[in-house]
Amino acid sequence: MNAFAFPKGFLWGAATSAHQVEGNNVHSDWWAWEQAGRVKEASGLACDHHRRFAEDFDLAVSLGHNAHRLSVEWARIEPEEGRWDEAALAHYVEVIRALRQRHLEPIVSLHHFSSPQWLTAQGGWTHPKVVEAFARYCHRVAEALGDQVRYWVTINEPMVFLRLHYLEGLGPPGMKDMGQGLKAIQHMIRAHAAAFRLLHERRADAQVSIAAHLPVFAACKPWRPMDLWVTRLTDRIFNVALLSALTEGRWSVPGVANWTFPEARRSLDYLGVNFYGRQFLHWVRTVHGWPAANCDLGHHPLRVRERTSFGWDVHPPSFYRTLTRWSRLRLPILITENGAWMTDDARRWAFIHGHLQAVARAIRSGARVIGYCYWSLLDNFEWADGYTPRFGIVEVDYATQRRTVRDSGKRYAEVCRSNRLHLEER
Ligand code: IFM
């Protein structure tokens, strides 16, 4: 074993998103979706973070963090089209001030799965005017927060968002249509490019990216040509095409589409990486959807040794692979999310520890990783899965809003404080 020192100034923290923690996000499309009974549980008061943000940031400081990722909520800031809620903006100014007072570097996402109801009523991200609407909203936020925020995430996990909301109908607007999904991707790329530009106009040293969910895809049955084919195709559309649109201005998936986005060329200052494990895929016959589905990991007792309480694969070597693969873009990498729901907290720590080992090894191999945000600081509302999954290094008792730091949070704090990790030789 030897001690690995992370680079000086490394950002250590945890991430949250507005709808998942704030509570009473009544103008968002997710709120309407929940009220319409489309999910088993509604978000309601969530973690009441809208009122308790200062004490939650105190907790983050007590855990040795020096950064914090959060999102601002479009639906609060523009509850009706063209009507700006100044009090909502003032609230986020307060939030950022509270972070700065505690020496927590803010990493601010502008869109994290939830959109204003008025936008979704017009077709959401499939409507061409979303690009301009998003830019207007970002402009307002940049005006209010721009001098206090350096790190921005324009859109969280664009491809997961599209898959869940536009291809699988699991979130608003509940579409299941590949054609609409393809429209939405184009609008997201353009919206990101517009936000990138205006954030830089506001502050030249802004660091802007997306948070890209970048799994390693593997075939369920690699001896089946169709499984292999659909796995490569999914990697191309989910991982490669999006990143080449934002770096080279070209989105191309053979047999699907070839587009150019000159305005999106070089629109990443760093790469935000969300990583949760490998995804095993097999080919499925479909009419309007994507011809791939996740396979039952139970079929892979030899290859999938460990799973989270969600049943997701746990595989730190794949994290190493993702980090080294994408370091070829020659951008700094900020790990904007990595985490697990584990009913046994000792296994959560093992997950964090294993993934930090992978980060250290990737840095040793040349990846320029500048920070790590665990998902999540708090247990929170996990979208269609409600409150059952618990990802937090801080446990939340939803009946009393009492916070209790988990042991995994304390172990993670030791790494954050020391900026070091004992690297286990393999
Ligand atoms: O809770 C989500 C988050 O909103 C986006 N990334 C994955 C997390 C865990 O599923």
Side-chain angles (χ1 to χ4, degrees), residues 20 112-113 156-157 276 312 337 375 382-383 391:
Q20 293 177 270
H112 191 121
F113 289 2
N156 180 69
E157 298 179 353
Y276 286 91
W312 299 351
E337 284 182 31
W375 181 272
E382 178 63 14
W383 309 108
F391 283 80

Side-chain angles (χ1 to χ4, degrees), residues 30 39-41 310 312 381-389:
W30 259 94
V39 280
K40 57 178 181 188
E41 219 169 351
F310 239 144
W312 299 351
F381 179 70
E382 178 63 14
W383 309 108
D385 292 293
Y387 285 108
T388 309

Side-chain angles (χ1 to χ4, degrees), residues 122-191:
Q122 297 171 13
W125 286 84
T126 65
H127 196 297
K129 87 175 196 193
V130 65
V131 177
E132 216 185 293
F134 185 69
R136 266 200 319 265
Y137 151 66
C138 293
H139 180 73
R140 285 279 170 154
V141 176
E143 285 296 304
L145 308 181
D147 56 344
Q148 288 303 317
V149 177
R150 182 155 182 247
Y151 291 93
W152 296 94
V153 170
T154 54
I155 301 172
N156 180 69
E157 298 179 353
M159 297 308 296
V160 175
F161 173 69
L162 292 170
R163 176 175 164 188
L164 297 179
H165 297 71
Y166 292 86
L167 295 184
E168 294 181 353
L170 295 174
M175 289 184 191
K176 294 184 184 170
D177 188 325
M178 182 71 193
Q180 295 299 332
L182 288 174
K183 267 196 211 165
I185 295 179
Q186 298 178 68
H187 297 149
M188 293 201 128
I189 293 169
R190 296 210 162 98

Side-chain angles (χ1 to χ4, degrees), residues 5-287:
F6 285 87
K8 202 163 164 265
F10 198 81
L11 299 172
W12 289 109
T16 60
S17 91
H19 189 75
Q20 293 177 270
V21 295
E22 283 182 352
N24 290 328
N25 188 16
V26 298
H27 299 295
S28 94
D29 57 353
W30 259 94
W31 184 270
W33 183 258
E34 295 156 21
Q35 299 308 311
R38 303 295 295 265
V39 280
K40 57 178 181 188
E41 219 169 351
S43 55
L45 191 58
C47 309
D48 196 19
H49 179 74
H50 198 262
R51 289 193 310 142
R52 296 171 190 260
F53 64 90
E55 60 177 273
D56 290 336
F57 298 162
D58 285 341
L59 274 174
V61 172
S62 78
L63 293 174
H65 299 187
N66 61 14
H68 183 71
R69 177 174 174 231
L70 76 167
S71 71
V72 293
E73 184 61 57
W74 187 357
R76 287 190 196 275
I77 294 171
E78 193 182 4
E80 290 162 31
E81 189 173 7
R83 182 170 77 75
W84 303 96
D85 186 332
E86 297 303 332
L89 273 169
H91 169 81
Y92 288 119
V93 171
E94 259 311 292
V95 169
I96 300 299
R97 186 175 301 139
L99 288 172
R100 285 268 172 236
Q101 279 165 351
R102 290 166 177 77
H103 306 290
L104 292 167
E105 180 72 37
I107 302 161
V108 178
S109 309
L110 290 152
H111 187 274
H112 191 121
F113 289 2
S114 53
S115 303
Q117 283 166 22
W118 59 263
L119 183 84
T120 302
Q122 297 171 13
W125 286 84
T126 65
H127 196 297
K129 87 175 196 193
V130 65
V131 177
E132 216 185 293
F134 185 69
R136 266 200 319 265
Y137 151 66
C138 293
H139 180 73
R140 285 279 170 154
V141 176
E143 285 296 304
L145 308 181
D147 56 344
Q148 288 303 317
V149 177
R150 182 155 182 247
Y151 291 93
W152 296 94
V153 170
T154 54
I155 301 172
N156 180 69
E157 298 179 353
M159 297 308 296
V160 175
F161 173 69
L162 292 170
R163 176 175 164 188
L164 297 179
H165 297 71
Y166 292 86
L167 295 184
E168 294 181 353
L170 295 174
M175 289 184 191
K176 294 184 184 170
D177 188 325
M178 182 71 193
Q180 295 299 332
L182 288 174
K183 267 196 211 165
I185 295 179
Q186 298 178 68
H187 297 149
M188 293 201 128
I189 293 169
R190 296 210 162 98
H192 161 82
F196 176 87
R197 241 189 346 268
L198 65 89
L199 288 166
H200 277 276
E201 277 161 18
R202 180 72 180 77
R203 181 171 170 164
D205 70 344
Q207 293 291 298
V208 185
S209 183
I210 56 166
H213 186 268
L214 294 172
V216 166
F217 291 107
C220 293
K221 298 191 171 138
W223 57 92
R224 278 200 185 154
M226 290 304 275
D227 280 11
L228 274 180
W229 170 76
V230 87
T231 300
R232 282 196 207 108
L233 189 64
T234 304
D235 181 58
R236 178 77 183 232
I237 196 168
F238 202 92
N239 293 337
V240 179
L242 179 69
L243 294 184
S244 57
L246 304 184
T247 51
E248 294 158 27
R250 241 182 312 115
W251 191 101
S252 136
V253 179
V256 178
N258 286 307
W259 302 311
T260 53
F261 299 95
E263 72 273 45
R265 251 187 107 231
R266 298 209 185 141
S267 65
L268 297 177
D269 294 304
Y270 69 93
L271 179 64
V273 174
N274 290 6
F275 185 84
Y276 286 91
R278 286 174 299 185
Q279 289 189 19
F280 289 87
L281 299 177
H282 67 113
W283 174 77
V284 285
R285 196 184 296 279
T286 160
V287 184

